[in-house]
Amino acid sequence: MQRLQAFKYELIPTGEQLRNMRRFAGSCRFVFNKALALQKENYGRGLKHLSYVELARELTAWRHSTEDPWIKDAPCSSQQHALKYLDQAYRRFFAKQAAYPKFKKKGARESFHYPNKAAIRLDQEHSRILLPKLGWVRYRNSRAVIGELRNATVSLTADKWFVSIQTARDVERPTPQSTSAVGIDVGIARFATMSDGTFLAPLHSLKRHQAKLRRAQHQLSRKTKFSRNWRKAKTRVQRIHVHIANARRDFLHKATTTISKNHAMVCIEDLKVGNMSRSSSGNATRPGRCVRAKSGLNKAILDQGWFEFRRQLEYKLAWNGGLLVAVSPANTSSTCPACSHVSTDNRKTQAEFSCVSCGHQDHADIVGALNVLARGHRVAACGEPVQSGHSTKQEPTEAIQADSIG
Ligand SMILES: [Zn+2]
């Protein structure tokens, strides 16, 4: 099977390369926004939606026009990729999988993509990469790139530029090293509780840095916008955000690597993290209930990165020949693992489970994990429907997207 993996490195650009990277990212954003505006205008006039090919034809005209002569300074393939990206966003919207595409704002996710592998050359020995219209750019070589180069993305995080190099390589279809199965209950008090009784302590990465972040944000708010000091303060805030994200990623990588190595089948609740972390504030006519408590919970959920946890588990298990099974979360915390009696009274407190029917007692999170495991076994064995519509099995070639290493 084919394994796709991304390797991410910090770039060490020259002054000219730095200016060009900013310009290329800006011009790709400009092309994306111009195409989006064109689609909207067409729609307003009752005209047909433009296909990617038609947009690419428009791009050629824009590159040759005298109106914005700087457009043609950036790599054409990167701008075409921005149009492809917009096209995909529209497809997702038409398939009701995503919201209507939005204009890209300056300063948010500055990046551009090199889709053509023939135009990129990687010189690992000298820690440099040849990128179209940028020339040889040096990078911090933290680890070797494995596999055949496919494409590259240049992006800005806080005040640093990175290159993410995507590769593909053939690997033997792995056989799982372990035969055991485990159920996982995720929570606020404990990040994850395993059905074998072990657990991962909560990750309070955001909490730990929150005071620092608040101070930095306060300082930023007192500066004159766009002044030199404002820029400095803004960089400080961004750096704290990056630091938090890195700490969270490290924690999740360690946890998911251990779990996917030790178990052949991992069962988790199919929680809709997107829904859970959405604001509960409601609207003007119907204000939400328990807004504060939920916003705290929402924050904690995001902080813990459950969605990322699941994503990593899924691809790492596939790499190891294992399987992730997502089961319906209904009643996993109120079903007795001994006698199957379902009652919300079974759960006495956040941590205590005591069955009102047979008297079985255990830690509530372990009970949850055991129920998830039992349900996972039923899903895997006799195909008990998974309510979410998520497939329990994934084709490893397409779905695997490795993580970047900074
Ligand atoms: Zn019972």
Side-chain angles (χ1 to χ4, degrees), residues 336 339 355 358:
C336 172
C339 72
C355 179
C358 76

Side-chain angles (χ1 to χ4, degrees), residues 23-299:
R23 283 168 56 211
F24 295 175
S27 95
C28 285
R29 181 183 59 239
F30 179 84
V31 164
F32 178 95
N33 287 343
K34 201 171 162 79
L36 177 55
L38 182 67
Q39 294 281 31
K40 280 188 163 182
E41 193 190 312
N42 265 5
Y43 181 77
R45 284 206 224 133
L47 297 171
K48 226 181 96 225
H49 180 78
L50 296 173
S51 69
Y52 164 70
V53 176
E54 287 163 311
L55 285 179
R57 214 173 290 141
E58 291 289 335
L59 174 63
T60 311
W62 298 340
R63 284 176 70 92
H64 287 99
S65 85
T66 46
E67 196 182 329
D68 305 294
W70 46 270
I71 292 185
K72 64 174 176 300
D73 295 344
C76 183
S77 61
S78 301
Q79 291 170 336
Q80 284 168 342
H81 182 82
L83 294 181
K84 257 181 206 152
Y85 188 77
L86 175 66
D87 193 54
Q88 279 164 9
Y90 265 110
R91 277 166 206 267
R92 279 196 297 275
F93 168 70
F94 291 138
K96 294 194 167 64
Q97 290 167 344
Y100 193 84
K102 275 191 217 144
F103 288 108
K104 282 187 194 293
K105 264 190 238 158
K106 190 181 174 185
R109 277 184 243 114
E110 296 281 321
S111 72
F112 55 97
H113 184 73
Y114 289 108
N116 186 2
K117 65 181 174 191
I120 306 165
R121 242 187 304 158
L122 181 65
D123 178 4
Q124 296 198 63
E125 203 186 318
H126 299 100
S127 306
R128 57 182 194 160
I129 183 165
L130 182 69
L131 297 168
K133 297 220 176 193
L134 280 178
W136 286 103
V137 192
R138 298 202 309 129
Y139 66 88
R140 287 191 204 286
N141 197 342
S142 46
R143 64 176 296 200
V145 173
I146 330 166
E148 191 199 329
L149 197 144
R150 300 212 346 170
N151 56 56
T153 304
V154 174
S155 64
L156 177 70
T157 304
D159 53 344
K160 293 193 174 91
W161 286 89
F162 294 87
V163 64
S164 177
I165 302 163
Q166 175 132 105
T167 70
R169 65 184 190 276
D170 284 322
V171 292
E172 265 178 54
R173 191 166 284 277
T175 42
Q177 297 298 302
S178 155
T179 52
S180 72
V182 73
I184 299 178
D185 180 90
V186 289
I188 299 288
R190 289 171 167 187
F191 177 76
T193 305
M194 263 57 83
S195 52
D196 59 11
T198 56
F199 66 91
L200 297 169
L203 157 87
H204 287 305
S205 67
L206 195 62
K207 245 182 198 160
R208 258 192 297 148
H209 298 284
Q210 222 160 26
K212 214 169 145 190
L213 185 63
R214 209 175 302 125
R215 258 199 318 275
Q217 277 167 337
H218 180 69
Q219 276 165 359
L220 175 66
S221 69
R222 291 165 65 98
K223 305 276 185 284
T224 316
K225 237 184 175 181
F226 307 116
S227 68
R228 182 177 276 266
N229 280 327
W230 177 83
R231 272 178 230 281
K232 269 192 214 161
K234 193 167 166 104
T235 303
R236 216 169 294 136
V237 169
Q238 285 172 331
R239 278 193 187 146
I240 298 172
H241 276 300
V242 171
H243 190 80
I244 291 167
N246 286 347
R248 183 167 48 206
R249 206 174 47 201
D250 272 0
F251 171 89
L252 291 175
H253 270 303
K254 277 180 195 137
T256 53
T257 299
T258 310
I259 295 168
S260 58
K261 272 192 182 146
N262 290 335
H263 303 286
M265 183 169 94
V266 176
C267 312
I268 55 161
E269 285 176 292
D270 195 7
L271 296 171
K272 294 281 190 288
V273 181
N275 294 347
M276 287 174 75
S277 57
R278 203 163 290 156
S279 165
S280 52
S281 57
N283 53 39
T285 49
R286 278 185 56 200
R289 293 172 60 207
C290 315
V291 172
R292 277 195 79 170
K294 279 188 190 163
S295 77
L297 179 70
N298 286 343
K299 228 172 179 183

